[in-house]
Amino acid sequence: MRQNISISEQSRRQIEELAAVYGNMSAAIEEAVARLHRCHYPPPDPPHVVGWEPVVLAAPAVCAETQREIPAFSTAYREIWSDGRIGAILSREALVEDGVIVE
């Protein structure tokens, strides 16, 4: 059986004030934790090329940079991205022009 508990107007105001203070403190704590998290765990760098892997072509391919055909059974270079994806096929000449390969 439920009992109706009556509280005074003053007690009700105090409860409301405490709830408001608690809400403000919770929001402040959440913001501080979020700031700490951003400092310790900065957002990742945008995906970018981290290297080039030499590959021997089984079929002719087109260099993504020069748009020239690379013949089958020749060495080309495949981009390796920071997010793990495999990028475009480039010719040796394109990498020499970009200064990646120094002759």
Side-chain angles (χ1 to χ4, degrees), residues 60-92:
V62 175
C63 173
E65 201 165 293
T66 64
Q67 301 303 313
R68 285 185 272 174
E69 185 175 292
I70 307 168
F73 307 111
S74 60
T75 301
Y77 296 85
R78 180 172 39 205
E79 294 176 333
I80 304 297
W81 285 74
S82 61
D83 59 0
R85 67 184 148 135
I86 294 174
I89 297 290
L90 301 170
S91 66
R92 179 178 180 81

Side-chain angles (χ1 to χ4, degrees), residues 3 5-6 10 17 20-21 36 38 41 45 54 59 64-65 84 87:
Q3 289 183 340
I5 300 173
S6 94
Q10 181 182 4
E17 288 173 10
V21 167
L36 281 172
R38 284 191 301 269
Y41 305 103
D45 291 335
E65 201 165 293

Side-chain angles (χ1 to χ4, degrees), residues 26-63:
S26 293
I29 290 170
E30 287 175 13
E31 174 58 29
V33 168
R35 262 187 274 136
L36 281 172
H37 189 269
R38 284 191 301 269
C39 291
H40 289 287
Y41 305 103
D45 291 335
H48 58 282
V49 175
V50 293
W52 293 267
E53 175 183 28
V55 293
V56 176
L57 299 174
V62 175
C63 173

